Amino acid sequence: MSQTEMEMSGGPVGVTRRTGTVKRTMWGGLRQQWKLLGLFEIDQQHEFYSLTSMMKEGLSAAVQTTIDNPPPDELSEDDYRLELTQIHKDFKMETFAGPVFASLRRSLGMTEKEYQHSLSSDGSYLQFISNSKSKADFFLTNDKCFFLKTQNKREVKFLLSNLRIYMEHLEKYPHSLLVKFLGVHRINISHRRKKYFIVMQSVFYPDDRINARYDIKGCEVSRWTDPAPEGSQVIVVLKDLNFKGQYITLDQQRPWLLRQVEIDTSFLQRLNVLDYSLLVGHQPLHQDERHQGLSFATLIMRTKKSVITGSSPTHAGMPTVPGVVPEEDSTLLVSEMDGGTGSCSIAESRGGSDPGSALSGRTCTEQPAGSVTDSMVLRDFQAQNRRLLPNFKNPLHVIDGPEHRYFVGIIDIFTVYSFKKRLEHWWKRLRHPGQAFSTVSPTSYCLRLCQWVQDHTK
């Protein structure tokens, strides 16, 4: 453990070399345990207890600011550039573009009070030890709803400089699989190194029944991880080669997934980034979940999560997903979806929700006279590649197939195809001739990941 790490953990600057050695030995042994467990509670003896306590205190105060001063109806350029500094007893906490992220949280149907409670509850944060090559530290809130990840200054600058177009993408495609960034912050302790971190929605939430997790890049070099011993509770995130011979079975939802991955990776290509990952987790559906009938009331509830016209993360009003829709609007759309009969014979009741066929079973031009508004809703639904979201927590990252529930999201979008990465590409071409490796151009990376999804879904 370096001096900087020890200082961040609240240890005195003038500790002796012998004490540092003892601590390194102790935490080195614990790290071996964490590598097996994957998750470890950050209690008062943990090296990151001081840091995460500061995170909790700072985040609670930062969110309280947006509770007291809600974001404006329309975001301005100043909102994107805003930096709020709050002074605490032992540190300062800086919050970047607070109104922008508050607006995004609102569009996702989160209340600030719920967000604040999750981030600053009495329960300890959890440290996640992954097999990632990243030097970042990963933390989970105690309810496992949100991820906190330390970032370097370059990565934070990249995110903030592209924040507007990221928000515009989520506005245009509200059911995007891109990870949802909910806050960017910096902790500043006098005479110590500044610590940047971001808050994200967890893709694998809720995780109590997930039985397999994969990090997919669409290549083969260094893409194997030894699985956990059979019957153990070890959390291991597997990779591409571990997925060999398996499929994501979605039936009628497959076209939606293919299209959304294409949309999101094309966006990342325009940002000139690579090396991002498609997270995939799955759990078996219970018998009642596989064959549950869709009552008219349930269909209305799911439609509320899925369809809202004229709403966006950048313009306030009604939340985009999965918030509230006026009852009359959702009932009207369901009537269009079902021909006004109130029965549940649509494609979704047979296990899929292809945005074209599952919603109405007919094109907009076939709508009866007087249903222009409904036709516009359906056209918007299709143009934005929306789907009928599941009546489940974390619906934007959950897709139900006939037998499994899948958790899907795209993460780690900060690696720019720089001159250094171009050199790495040529070096890997020499070292791994004829093999697929991660460092390729953004265009090649985009196409390859889309092809992987095409080949591994049915």
Side-chain angles (χ1 to χ4, degrees), residues 176-213:
S176 169
L177 293 170
L178 293 182
V179 62
K180 307 305 182 292
F181 298 111
L182 304 177
V184 177
H185 307 273
R186 179 172 67 191
I187 286 179
N188 189 358
I189 306 172
S190 182
H191 307 301
R192 315 273 178 89
R193 181 181 299 175
K194 297 175 181 178
K195 182 77 76 172
Y196 291 88
F197 69 95
I198 59 176
V199 184
M200 302 171 285
Q201 210 172 13
S202 175
V203 173
F204 295 145
Y205 174 80
D207 73 338
D208 51 307
R209 288 168 48 200
I210 296 178
N211 56 13
R213 300 165 176 82

Side-chain angles (χ1 to χ4, degrees), residues 221-269:
V221 174
S222 301
R223 301 303 298 164
W224 168 268
T225 294
D226 290 333
E230 187 175 353
S232 75
Q233 298 301 311
V234 174
I235 296 175
V236 175
V237 180
L238 304 172
K239 298 181 180 180
D240 301 62
L241 294 179
N242 299 95
F243 202 87
K244 188 175 181 180
Q246 300 184 62
Y247 292 92
I248 301 169
T249 304
L250 298 175
D251 283 356
Q252 295 187 46
Q253 297 221 56
R254 181 175 182 264
W256 177 86
L257 178 63
L258 295 178
R259 175 63 179 145
Q260 194 57 55
V261 171
E262 178 187 343
I263 289 169
D264 289 333
T265 56
S266 294
F267 170 73
L268 297 177
Q269 178 188 341

Side-chain angles (χ1 to χ4, degrees), residues 31-295:
R31 280 198 183 97
Q32 294 303 314
Q33 183 180 4
W34 295 339
K35 286 178 181 178
L36 292 178
L37 294 176
L39 288 175
F40 195 85
E41 185 175 347
I42 301 176
D43 57 19
Q44 293 187 14
Q45 284 72 49
H46 196 288
E47 62 173 323
F48 287 126
Y49 179 76
S50 179
L51 173 61
T52 55
S53 296
M54 293 178 192
M55 286 178 168
K56 280 189 176 185
E57 181 181 340
L59 287 168
S60 180
V63 178
Q64 188 62 46
T65 299
T66 59
I67 293 174
D68 298 336
N69 303 281
D73 287 348
E74 292 201 22
L75 297 172
S76 67
E77 195 60 39
D78 289 341
D79 292 321
Y80 283 88
R81 290 197 293 255
L82 183 64
E83 296 183 15
L84 172 67
T85 301
Q86 294 173 299
I87 300 176
H88 300 267
K89 181 180 177 181
D90 299 315
F91 66 99
K92 294 179 182 179
M93 173 87 120
E94 295 167 274
T95 299
F96 300 91
V100 179
F101 291 107
S103 179
L104 176 55
R105 295 193 296 267
R106 178 173 59 190
S107 78
L108 295 170
M110 299 180 192
T111 71
E112 292 299 276
K113 281 290 187 182
E114 291 169 341
Y115 182 64
Q116 183 186 50
H117 176 74
S118 182
L119 292 174
S120 56
S121 69
D122 293 336
S124 299
Y125 279 2
L126 307 171
Q127 185 183 15
F128 176 64
I129 304 293
S130 73
N131 47 7
S132 169
K133 295 179 181 179
S134 169
K135 297 180 180 179
D137 297 310
F138 299 86
F139 308 110
L140 273 167
T141 53
N142 191 262
D143 59 9
K144 301 182 182 179
C145 192
F146 302 109
F147 247 106
L148 295 88
K149 179 184 178 184
T150 60
Q151 304 281 168
N152 61 43
K153 185 176 181 180
R154 182 200 64 77
E155 292 167 335
V156 167
K157 185 177 180 181
F158 175 81
L159 174 57
L160 293 175
S161 64
N162 290 289
L163 183 57
R164 179 178 289 280
I165 57 176
Y166 168 78
M167 295 286 285
E168 289 171 350
H169 180 77
L170 296 185
E171 175 181 353
K172 188 174 182 180
Y173 301 104
H175 294 180
S176 169
L177 293 170
L178 293 182
V179 62
K180 307 305 182 292
F181 298 111
L182 304 177
V184 177
H185 307 273
R186 179 172 67 191
I187 286 179
N188 189 358
I189 306 172
S190 182
H191 307 301
R192 315 273 178 89
R193 181 181 299 175
K194 297 175 181 178
K195 182 77 76 172
Y196 291 88
F197 69 95
I198 59 176
V199 184
M200 302 171 285
Q201 210 172 13
S202 175
V203 173
F204 295 145
Y205 174 80
D207 73 338
D208 51 307
R209 288 168 48 200
I210 296 178
N211 56 13
R213 300 165 176 82
Y214 296 88
D215 178 303
I216 301 298
K217 293 182 183 290
C219 57
E220 57 185 350
V221 174
S222 301
R223 301 303 298 164
W224 168 268
T225 294
D226 290 333
E230 187 175 353
S232 75
Q233 298 301 311
V234 174
I235 296 175
V236 175
V237 180
L238 304 172
K239 298 181 180 180
D240 301 62
L241 294 179
N242 299 95
F243 202 87
K244 188 175 181 180
Q246 300 184 62
Y247 292 92
I248 301 169
T249 304
L250 298 175
D251 283 356
Q252 295 187 46
Q253 297 221 56
R254 181 175 182 264
W256 177 86
L257 178 63
L258 295 178
R259 175 63 179 145
Q260 194 57 55
V261 171
E262 178 187 343
I263 289 169
D264 289 333
T265 56
S266 294
F267 170 73
L268 297 177
Q269 178 188 341
R270 292 195 297 274
L271 290 183
N272 197 37
V273 300
L274 69 156
D275 214 26
Y276 43 88
S277 296
L278 180 73
L279 288 185
V280 178
H282 62 72
Q283 65 189 41
L285 288 174
H286 288 157
Q287 195 69 20
D288 58 335
E289 294 171 324
R290 296 184 191 184
H291 303 293
Q292 60 183 348
L294 283 176
S295 68

